[in-house]
Amino acid sequence: MSKIVTISNLEKTYKTDSETLTILKDLHLEIEAGSKTVIVGESGSGKSTFLNIIGGLDTATSGSVRVGDYEISSLSEDELTEYRSRFLGLIFQFHYLLKDFTALENVFLPAYMAGCPKNEAREKAIALLHDVGLSGRMDHLPSQLSGGERQRVAVARSLINDPQIILADEPTGNLDPANALMIGDLLFSMADKYNKTLILVTHDMALAKKGDICYAIAGGQLEERAV
C-alpha cells in the first residue's frame, strides 16, 4: 500500500512570558492509505493537537507534514480550506450540526457548497443517511435527534465529499456506553465500506482495539502500543 501521511521531525511548542511548553517533539509517523490508525494518550498529551495539525486546523512549530500531495505547512488559507473540504472528512466530540437545518440538509450542504449540483448532493446525502441507519430521521432537526443520532449524522456528513481521510477526534466522548459502542462500530464499518483512511484519537481503549495499529503519545512522541 502507498503512504498517504508522512510526518517527519514534527514539533509543536507554546510560548508564554515565563516558559516554553513543548507538546510534540521530534515526532515521526507514516500511515498507509486505507489503514485505520488509532492514537491514545492522557488528557493534555497532545493527541488532539496532533490531529489538528494533520487537519490544517493548527500549525506545527517545525517539521514536515505531508498528506497526499499536500505539504501542509506551505498551504495558504484558501488552499487549507480546499484541502479540508475535498481531502478530509472531520468528526469531532461535539457534532457541530447546524441547529436550524435538518439532518439531510446538514449532510448535503458541504457538497453543495463545494460545487456539487443540489440534486446530486441531496441524493448522495440520502444514501449516506440510509447507510448510517437514519432513513426515517432525515427531516428532523438536531434538537429532535438523540446524541447518538446526531453523531451518526456527523459521520454521514464527513463522507459527503468523498474524502481520502477521515479524522475523528474523540467521536464517542460525549456518548453513553451503548451509543459509544454503536458509533465506534459504525465509524469503522463506514471507513471500510468506502475504503477511507481513518485516523482516530480516543481515550476509549475498547474503540482503540478496532484499529489496525495503535500509538500512544507520551513525552511528545508516538509509541506503538498493543491493544
Side-chain angles (χ1 to χ4, degrees), residues 3-64:
K3 302 286 191 299
I4 195 167
V5 177
T6 302
I7 296 170
S8 304
N9 305 111
L10 179 66
E11 186 164 310
K12 178 64 176 181
T13 59
Y14 293 97
K15 292 187 177 180
T16 67
D17 291 339
S18 58
E19 65 176 346
T20 297
L21 182 62
T22 300
I23 302 295
L24 305 172
K25 183 178 181 181
D26 194 29
L27 190 149
H28 298 260
L29 181 64
E30 291 184 337
I31 294 177
E32 302 276 359
S35 65
K36 316 295 184 291
T37 300
V38 179
I39 298 166
V40 299
E42 300 294 328
S43 294
S45 62
K47 56 187 187 297
S48 290
T49 298
F50 178 61
L51 203 70
N52 286 340
I53 289 171
I54 296 174
L57 300 168
D58 199 350
T59 55
T61 304
S62 62
S64 170

Side-chain angles (χ1 to χ4, degrees), residues 133-192:
L134 290 178
S135 293
R137 309 287 280 169
M138 294 186 192
D139 294 329
H140 288 63
L141 296 171
S143 61
Q144 299 169 315
L145 301 173
S146 70
E149 288 172 334
R150 289 193 287 267
Q151 202 64 328
R152 278 192 266 170
V153 175
V155 171
R157 181 184 58 189
S158 75
L159 289 160
I160 190 67
N161 283 336
D162 195 24
Q164 296 295 305
I165 298 176
I166 302 294
L167 299 181
D169 189 0
E170 297 280 12
T172 63
N174 275 338
L175 302 175
D176 61 78
N179 272 307
L181 181 62
M182 180 269 293
I183 290 296
D185 286 343
L186 177 69
L187 185 54
F188 278 88
S189 66
M190 292 291 279
D192 280 337

